[in-house]
Every structure is written in structure tokens, then in C-alpha cells.
Amino acid sequence: MSHPDKLLVEIAAHVEAGHSNQMSLTVVVDGAVITGRLAPEKVWRQRVAEVLRDSEQLGRFAGIFTAGHQEAAASDDPKPPTHLHFHLARIIQGTTGIPESGGMYRVAIGDVTAWTIGDVRYSDG
């Protein structure tokens, strides 16, 4: 989309305000179908940082996910969200979801070409 969908921005703002991390959403981005639950950006960043900290090879990247966001969150002039932050998310490929356990995805709202409320179900065979 050349212009972010205003309704999708409103949904993201509601999630960012901490009203829910149970909102399931499915989006299409560049032909890929991503399905999962939305999380506030702060929660998403913390979780990614935790995963990175647990990695011997990637631990040094953990601070990137927490440092800059604290300054932005302290601003008195909140801006509309520009990204969706998915947790427990999967990319639907054929009849399977990748990864099976769910992953952490950040999607630019302006790149979403289609969306629906809910988590797309898929079959394992």
C-alpha cells in the first residue's frame, strides 16, 4: 500500500496502548501470508532482546532492541504506529506454518496489501 490503512493503524495503536496482546491478525506482505498475535512494540523488543541475550553468538545485539525504544517511549508526543509487531507468528507456506513454534516478526504497516482479523489455520498434512 502506498498509504497505510487507517483502520490497521488504529488497531496497532490500540495494541500499543496496552489494551491487548491477544489480537490475532493475518496480513499479506509482498505475497507472503503472516499470521499471529500482535504485541506492543515494547513487549516485542524485550522478547527479541531476551532471545538474543541467550545466544552466545548474537548476545551483543540484544541492547539494540531496548536502548532506542526507551527514549522514544518517553516522548510526550506519541506518533501513530508504523509497524505491526507479531509474536507467536508463522509465515504460511503451502499447508504449513513456518516456524512451527511461532516467531517474532516486525512488519511495516505501509507494506501490508491485505489483512483480516484472526489467525489463519493450516493443516500439517
Side-chain angles (χ1 to χ4, degrees):
M1 287 182 164
S2 57
H3 302 289
D5 182 310
K6 289 180 183 179
L7 184 55
L8 196 53
V9 171
E10 285 185 44
I11 291 169
H14 199 72
V15 171
E16 287 300 322
H19 296 293
S20 175
N21 67 348
Q22 300 297 312
M23 171 57 91
S24 294
L25 193 72
T26 299
V27 298
V28 177
V29 179
D30 291 332
V33 177
I34 301 172
T35 189
R37 275 198 235 152
L38 294 178
E41 182 177 3
K42 179 180 179 181
V43 172
W44 183 88
R45 284 175 171 264
Q46 289 172 341
R47 179 64 185 123
V48 171
E50 289 170 10
V51 170
L52 291 172
R53 264 193 297 276
D54 291 343
S55 169
E56 187 174 313
Q57 297 165 334
L58 302 175
R60 64 178 174 243
F61 292 98
I64 295 170
F65 286 87
T66 55
H69 184 66
Q70 292 169 349
E71 296 163 10
S75 170
D76 290 335
D77 184 24
K79 295 181 177 31
T82 58
H83 290 77
L84 301 170
H85 296 87
F86 286 92
H87 67 116
L88 303 173
R90 295 167 311 283
I91 296 174
I92 303 299
Q93 177 68 38
T95 59
T96 59
I98 305 167
E100 287 182 21
S101 60
M104 308 288 285
Y105 294 99
R106 176 178 161 110
V107 175
I109 294 173
D111 291 342
V112 174
T113 55
W115 61 274
T116 188
I117 298 296
D119 193 355
V120 171
R121 303 287 178 220
Y122 55 91
S123 69
D124 294 328

